Amino acid sequence: MARNAAIEPVSGISIAIPLVLFAALSAAVAVQAGLVATEGRGVTVAPPQTIVIAPHRFTYRDASEYFHDGLAVDAPKLDMNVISTLEIMKFQTTLRDYNRCVADAICAPAENRDEAPSREETPVTGVSYDDAVLYAAWLSEHTGVQWRLPTDFELAYAAADRFPDDALGIDPNDRNPANRWLADYEREARRAAAIDPRPQPQGSFGISQTGLVDFAGNVWEWTSTCNKRVELGRIGRVEEPDPESCGIMIAAGKHRAPMSSFVRIPKGGGCSVGSPPDNLGFRLVRSQGFLESLKDRMRRAMTEVFDPATSLHGRTG
């Protein structure tokens, strides 16, 4: 019995590897035979410039709002091991590119506060979450590549050192309301509006260590992450909200801002708490093609065979 148990892991590996290789071979044959659609067909618009974030470990503070006995507490900081690459636009979507979608009568015109000619080369602002989703669908159709809004996690992963930590930094067991009020006051003071809130030309706000340009300038970026409230100590599983039916989405920049999905000018309302963003814009993630996705799945399968504790976005610490 002991001898049979000892060889079971080896048997699992010997079975898993051929199955993965067979799936890859079958997919390649399907593509060659034209049974599977590939990217690049019907391209009418050049895809935007992107950067690729290589897989690595990453510390991420959850975007959800956490409460304990009715008082706000800092969200947990998670040690993540990401094993898939992430391809994201290097720059925010420009007004010029967005206006191509407007010209096709797919996107609604942006609500711009500055009509100077140079605005064509600056990030589009005055757009809602819904506008960004429409643009992503339009760009996908015209480039032959699938584009979508990033999640809050993906944007934090791409922005790296430029992504803010919104923590209050106080002991969650501290019941003194004065300490909490002072910490919140100091945080809001750091979130003061920009001296010049007008969108600036590309490259005006620096670059992250990963190569992402202009994050955390005066344009907050829509994500596909729904704002969620977590009450610590509550019995029962916390349900993940569906982005398609969620009315409050996370926009990220100098700080995270929960915003109504239809809001275009943040100063007019829609932010649940704290200082509103100066502007709302976006950049997109390039979804993996079929073969790229298959390659990642193969790598993930091999990783899980040899290291079952590893996961795509799993907590490791």
Side-chain angles (χ1 to χ4, degrees), residues 70-134:
L71 295 176
V73 296
D74 292 336
K77 214 166 188 179
L78 309 175
D79 182 24
M80 318 294 278
N81 186 32
V82 183
I83 61 174
S84 295
T85 58
L86 174 68
E87 187 172 355
I88 187 170
M89 288 171 55
K90 182 175 183 178
F91 301 95
Q92 296 155 340
T93 301
T94 64
L95 178 62
R96 178 185 59 190
D97 290 337
Y98 182 82
N99 279 342
R100 294 174 180 169
C101 180
V102 175
D104 276 356
I106 300 298
C107 296
E111 292 186 30
N112 302 315
R113 291 176 292 180
D114 177 14
E115 299 298 336
S118 61
R119 281 280 287 129
E120 289 289 316
E121 303 301 324
T122 58
V124 62
T125 57
V127 288
S128 68
Y129 168 85
D130 299 328
D131 294 328
V133 170
L134 281 176

Side-chain angles (χ1 to χ4, degrees), residues 20-21 23-24 27 39 52-56 81-88 148 154 157 285-305 310-313:
V20 171
L21 294 177
E39 300 172 359
V52 176
I53 313 297
H56 63 272
N81 186 32
V82 183
I83 61 174
S84 295
T85 58
L86 174 68
E87 187 172 355
I88 187 170
R148 60 175 175 80
E154 289 171 329
Y157 185 59
V285 164
R286 177 185 180 275
S287 295
Q288 292 180 329
F290 179 77
L291 293 181
E292 292 170 311
S293 178
L294 179 63
K295 185 188 301 183
D296 257 350
R297 288 180 183 179
M298 289 176 63
R299 181 170 61 245
R300 197 175 309 140
M302 296 297 290
T303 302
E304 290 173 354
V305 165
T310 304
S311 62
L312 175 63
H313 289 161

Side-chain angles (χ1 to χ4, degrees), residues 46-63:
Q49 186 177 357
T50 61
I51 59 171
V52 176
I53 313 297
H56 63 272
R57 298 182 77 92
F58 173 64
T59 302
Y60 171 72
R61 190 177 296 280
D62 191 12

